Amino acid sequence: MKEEFEDRKQDDLERVSVESDGESVALTKREIQGWLAYAAAAEPYSVVCISALAPIVLESLASGYGYQTADRSLPCNTHESDYKCEVKVGGLWLDTASFSLYCISVSVFLQAFVFISMGALADHGTRRKTFLLAFSFIGSISTILFAAVVKESLYWLAGVLVIISNVAFGASWVLYYAFIPTMARDHPSVVEARQNVKSGTDTPADYQFVFDRVANSLSSHSMAIGYGAGVILLIIAAGIALAMDQTNYSLQLGMALTGVWWFGVTFFVWKFMPAQPGEPLTEKTNLFFYSWRRLGKTISRAKSLSETFKYLISWFILSDGSSTIISLATFMGKKKFLLSNTLLMVGAILVPLSALIGTYLWLFIQRRLSLTSKQTLLAISVAFVLVPIYVLIGFSGVFGLVYKVEIWPTLVYFGLMLGAFQSFSRVLYASLIPRSKEAEFFSLYGITDKSSSWLGPLITGAIIENNDTRWGFVFPLVMMIIPLFIIWWVDVERGISDAEKFSVEHTDAKDGV
């Protein structure tokens, strides 16, 4: 094992030497598999823990240790339809449903600090891969520790573990995204296309077409592989829940198993994923403040990357709205329809399974209709907006998640949009960022993607504090309509040109960083 890791390290050092001379090293099939493997390792955490089990576990632990809102002298009655309970956290009484949302809000707030602190730093040497592995181990171990929460009075510990694991997951996922443009550039097909441009056989437009196609293929495959692994682990977690009479602790064991999987597969990533190294930093660089200074320089010149930042603003709003829908749907299933933990997990399985199918379905549609990444993303987003509209129609009492039977087709429809929505968004962004600044810019993407989700849970948590959970869907509806107009006005060709120019004109030496 040690010798294999030393061989991988030597390969990374050789890649640094070759690429520093301006050459391009085509990736091997095993290296591409090593990169894809991290999706299989980490995405199940998002599918199983954050999207499905963590909200249920945190709410159940808080309710088990909480009291009725109407009379705090009485223990929470979780068998009552649409029950309202509170738990005391420090000196504050919080709604037990809001407790989970607030924990996630805290975690994504901390993510913003972590993303910025590591972003630009990860663009140098082999730190991008090193940081990814470090956060992967931190996240997986903290997830495994859910098995240690054996009493309801330890609900606070479960909250802390969600915060730590979600911060680590978000940081590693940002670094994983940052590999997309470099992996696409070093893909054998793109390397060949670049050589054809140099020889005059193809035009730059031909090269961009191949790059976009490969980037979308890599992103879609990673998304599908991640969701596939998530579905498998959800099914195993559901089996554990059934075997243990659907107790809350059985769900915690399902989360812990996800952590074990994440931990184990990371070793495969460690061995085979290429480092995709960048230029080394000077010895005088202050490692703690470097990323903050670099980002400050970039933001001060944001005007020269107007299309990139225009897209970031739209994605901040759009991703927050979409992620909020998941948490709200989980609470509706548990509190309004009183779904058992097993049925909640069936729903949780349907979403990523549909997302897996939807990822390839939308990739097929894009290629069949020759759509750009921007056009495809807009089409998916419009279809996505119908979800909160449908739920709000439920106030009529006729349909719109009024009856339990409506849950399953709604979840399938939601899933068909989800995977492709995420995949095409990150590929579109990857085309708009400067070369050699991938991690720095994807740290900003991470703030708009993962870290933007503090706003949704915070506002919807306040909305549903003493109201029908259905009212919470007003927020994601508004947040998903507004950015569509912004994305429509993003000039992708100009954005690509501006990014290429920025990477040449704003190096560390020229910016004095």
Side-chain angles (χ1 to χ4, degrees):
M1 180 72 73
K2 181 178 179 180
E3 288 76 10
E4 292 175 342
F5 289 149
E6 288 297 327
D7 290 342
R8 175 73 263 173
K9 182 178 179 180
Q10 183 61 36
D11 290 343
D12 291 338
L13 291 175
E14 291 176 359
R15 186 178 288 272
V16 172
S17 176
V18 173
E19 294 191 351
S20 64
D21 291 335
E23 298 180 21
S24 184
V25 181
L27 295 167
T28 66
K29 183 178 180 180
R30 181 63 75 181
E31 287 177 323
I32 295 174
Q33 291 172 342
W35 178 77
L36 290 172
Y38 191 70
E43 183 62 22
Y45 169 82
S46 176
V47 172
V48 178
C49 299
I50 293 300
S51 298
L53 302 187
I56 301 172
V57 168
L58 290 180
E59 197 282 331
S60 296
L61 288 171
S63 296
Y65 198 68
Y67 299 88
Q68 295 182 28
T69 301
D71 186 351
R72 291 175 179 167
S73 65
L74 298 176
C76 182
N77 180 12
T78 57
H79 299 291
E80 181 183 16
S81 178
D82 210 19
Y83 60 87
K84 289 290 183 181
C85 297
E86 297 179 347
V87 65
K88 194 171 186 179
V89 181
L92 299 175
W93 285 92
L94 299 179
D95 183 273
T96 54
S98 300
F99 173 67
S100 172
L101 295 174
Y102 291 144
C103 285
I104 294 175
S105 293
V106 171
S107 71
V108 295
F109 178 78
L110 292 175
Q111 281 180 345
F113 176 81
V114 174
F115 292 174
I116 295 174
S117 297
M118 71 169 186
L121 194 61
D123 284 322
H124 297 276
T126 59
R127 289 183 180 86
R128 190 183 308 169
K129 179 180 178 180
T130 301
F131 287 173
L132 183 149
L133 293 171
F135 283 117
S136 179
F137 287 125
I138 292 172
S140 59
I141 291 172
S142 57
T143 305
I144 293 171
L145 290 176
F146 269 95
V149 182
V150 295
K151 297 185 296 184
E152 292 172 338
S153 60
L154 293 175
Y155 72 93
W156 61 269
L157 176 58
V160 170
L161 291 175
V162 164
I163 292 171
I164 294 174
S165 59
N166 200 33
V167 169
F169 167 76
S172 69
W173 212 232
V174 162
L175 295 164
Y176 183 69
Y177 286 169
F179 276 91
I180 293 176
T182 59
M183 293 288 292
R185 280 197 293 267
D186 289 345
H187 189 279
S189 298
V190 178
V191 171
E192 181 181 356
R194 187 160 55 246
Q195 291 171 345
N196 290 340
V197 172
K198 290 180 179 180
S199 64
T201 306
D202 292 336
T203 66
D206 294 326
Y207 167 79
Q208 188 59 42
F209 175 81
V210 174
F211 176 88
D212 190 64
R213 192 181 185 91
V214 168
N216 274 308
S217 178
L218 288 172
S219 182
S220 296
H221 286 325
S222 70
M223 190 65 67
I225 289 170
Y227 278 126
V231 167
I232 293 173
L233 283 166
L234 265 176
I235 292 174
I236 295 174
I240 294 174
L242 284 173
M244 298 180 65
D245 297 325
Q246 304 181 45
T247 62
N248 194 59
Y249 188 68
S250 67
L251 301 185
Q252 293 172 222
L253 289 181
M255 294 177 69
L257 177 64
T258 303
V260 172
W261 168 264
W262 185 3
F263 183 85
V265 178
T266 297
F267 284 96
F268 181 87
V269 177
W270 185 356
K271 179 180 178 182
F272 293 112
M273 186 175 77
Q276 296 295 101
E279 291 294 324
L281 286 170
T282 62
E283 296 181 358
K284 297 180 180 180
T285 302
N286 186 314
L287 299 182
F288 184 80
F289 293 108
Y290 172 77
S291 289
W292 290 86
R293 292 181 60 198
R294 179 68 267 176
L295 183 61
K297 291 287 186 179
T298 296
I299 293 178
S300 68
R301 295 168 174 79
K303 188 176 181 179
S304 59
L305 291 172
S306 58
E307 303 307 312
T308 304
F309 282 94
K310 188 188 301 182
Y311 177 76
L312 271 177
I313 292 171
S314 66
W315 184 245
F316 176 91
I317 304 171
L318 193 60
S319 64
D320 194 25
S322 64
S323 62
T324 303
I325 292 175
I326 300 175
S327 297
L328 287 171
T330 300
F331 290 132
M332 280 197 70
K334 179 173 174 57
K335 298 184 69 175
K336 189 173 185 65
F337 296 107
L338 297 179
L339 296 180
S340 66
N341 287 342
T342 300
L343 287 178
L344 285 171
M345 293 191 69
V346 169
I349 291 171
L350 277 177
V351 171
L353 184 60
S354 302
L356 189 159
I357 297 171
T359 298
Y360 287 120
L361 174 63
W362 281 101
L363 185 63
F364 171 78
I365 292 173
Q366 186 214 23
R367 293 182 175 182
R368 184 74 174 180
L369 301 180
S370 299
L371 300 176
T372 64
S373 295
K374 172 186 169 180
Q375 291 170 332
T376 310
L377 180 61
L378 283 170
I380 297 169
S381 299
V382 170
F384 225 150
V385 170
L386 298 179
V387 176
I389 291 177
Y390 182 76
V391 177
L392 290 171
I393 290 175
F395 279 117
S396 67
V398 180
F399 65 91
L401 283 190
V402 174
Y403 304 102
K404 189 179 294 186
V405 69
E406 296 177 82
I407 295 174
W408 315 117
T410 301
L411 289 177
V412 170
Y413 179 83
F414 177 84
L416 288 173
M417 307 302 136
L418 183 61
F421 179 72
Q422 296 172 337
S423 179
F424 281 96
S425 71
R426 64 193 193 187
V427 170
L428 176 57
Y429 181 70
S431 67
L432 298 172
I433 62 177
R435 182 189 291 265
S436 301
K437 291 177 171 47
E438 293 83 9
E440 177 189 350
F441 274 81
F442 266 104
S443 70
L444 293 175
Y445 182 85
I447 293 174
T448 59
D449 184 19
K450 302 294 182 183
S451 295
S452 69
S453 57
W454 66 270
L455 185 61
L458 192 64
I459 293 178
T460 54
I463 291 174
I464 69 175
E465 187 79 31
N466 295 300
N467 296 292
D468 190 321
T469 305
R470 195 182 299 273
W471 279 111
F473 283 89
V474 172
F475 176 81
L477 173 60
V478 174
M479 296 292 276
M480 294 187 72
I481 290 178
I482 293 175
L484 294 181
F485 297 98
I486 304 176
I487 295 177
W488 178 267
W489 292 106
V490 172
D491 187 333
V492 177
E493 291 185 4
R494 178 185 172 185
I496 293 173
S497 177
D498 289 345
E500 292 176 350
K501 183 178 179 181
F502 190 92
S503 63
V504 174
E505 295 181 351
H506 297 288
T507 61
D508 286 355
K510 292 180 180 180
D511 287 344
V513 178

